[in-house]
Amino acid sequence: SLGRTAGIQRNIHDLTRAELSQIKLENGEPIAFFYEFIREFAGLSWVLDIKPEWGRETVTALERWATANNASELLCAHAKFLLWNVAHERQLCAAFPSAQLYAQSPECWRVGLVALASRGLVNTARRTRTYAIPPVLGGIPLFSKWIVESFHKRGAKVLAFTPSNDAQARAAVAAGFDEILTDYPIPSGVR
C-alpha cells in the first residue's frame, strides 16, 4: 500500500508502471523502481524487507531480475533479507544460496535464550543469519561483549535491536554489535 509513504490508499500491485511513475512520496520524491534503487545505492548495503502478503511473488520477481541482469552475486553481496514467512525464506535460499538473512523472531529468541542460559555457549546460531538482541530481558542487560562474542564464535552476526537511550546505544557499540537498529538518535561521538 502507498498509504504510509505517499498518503494514497492504493495497493502497488493494482497500479501500472505509468501510474506509479506519476506518484510522489510524502517527501515529494518520485517512487524509485528497483533498477533505479540499485543504480543509486550500488555502493551501500541494503535491507530488503520482504512482506509476507506478497513474499512468494517478490522472491520470484527478484530471482527473475537477478537472472535477467546477471546480478545474483551483486544482490547477495549488498543485500540482507528480512522475511516473515518460513516458506518464503526457503524459496529465497533456493534462489540465492549465499543470501544473508535476518533470523526470524522465534529463532532469535531460541538462540538468544540458549546464549543467556549457557553463558555464551551458542551451538545453534547459523553463519548466514543476523540475530536481533534486545537491550534487556527480564531486567538482565543483554548489550554485552560476551553475548556478542558467543554469536561471533559461530560466525553469526548480531543486531542491537532498538536501544532507546544514550546508555543503551553506547553499550551496543562497546559490546561490538554488527548492526544497530533504533528509532532513537545515536548520541554524537558514537560510530
Side-chain angles (χ1 to χ4, degrees):
S1 163
L2 292 165
R4 184 176 54 84
T5 58
I8 300 168
Q9 295 306 317
R10 305 249 341 248
N11 290 323
I12 293 169
H13 66 269
D14 292 333
L15 300 168
T16 66
R17 182 182 185 85
E19 289 171 321
L20 285 167
S21 66
Q22 299 303 309
I23 294 173
K24 300 286 185 212
L25 300 173
E26 291 285 330
N27 65 3
E29 294 288 324
I31 291 175
F33 290 96
F34 192 65
Y35 73 91
E36 295 169 323
F37 170 83
I38 296 293
R39 186 175 52 231
E40 179 73 21
F41 301 104
L44 300 175
S45 296
W46 319 315
V47 174
L48 298 182
D49 184 351
I50 299 175
K51 301 297 186 193
E53 299 82 8
W54 292 90
R56 184 175 52 80
E57 294 84 355
T58 301
V59 172
T60 300
L62 280 172
E63 184 176 16
R64 274 197 314 261
W65 176 84
T67 300
N69 292 284
N70 196 24
S72 291
E73 286 183 31
L74 171 82
L75 197 58
C76 289
H78 289 279
K80 190 176 288 184
F81 298 90
L82 176 60
L83 295 108
W84 300 90
N85 178 295
V86 174
H88 302 154
E89 185 176 295
R90 277 191 227 111
Q91 179 189 2
L92 182 101
C93 289
F96 304 101
S98 62
Q100 295 290 311
L101 288 83
Y102 286 99
Q104 292 186 13
S105 185
E107 186 178 357
C108 289
W109 278 103
R110 181 178 47 76
V111 174
L113 289 172
V114 167
L116 190 57
S118 62
R119 188 80 172 145
L121 298 174
V122 176
N123 293 323
T124 57
R126 295 191 276 174
R127 299 180 79 73
T128 58
R129 297 287 192 268
T130 298
Y131 293 87
I133 307 292
V136 177
L137 177 65
I140 301 169
L142 299 181
F143 287 1
S144 64
K145 199 164 201 57
W146 71 266
I147 291 263
V148 172
E149 288 173 351
S150 67
F151 283 87
H152 285 173
K153 285 177 187 171
R154 296 289 298 167
K157 294 182 179 173
V158 283
L159 164 74
F161 189 68
T162 65
S164 58
N165 57 48
D166 285 357
Q168 289 177 352
R170 290 181 192 283
V173 171
F177 277 83
D178 301 291
E179 301 174 29
I180 298 175
L181 176 65
T182 183
D183 293 329
Y184 177 80
I186 298 295
S188 61
V190 173
R191 293 270 174 230

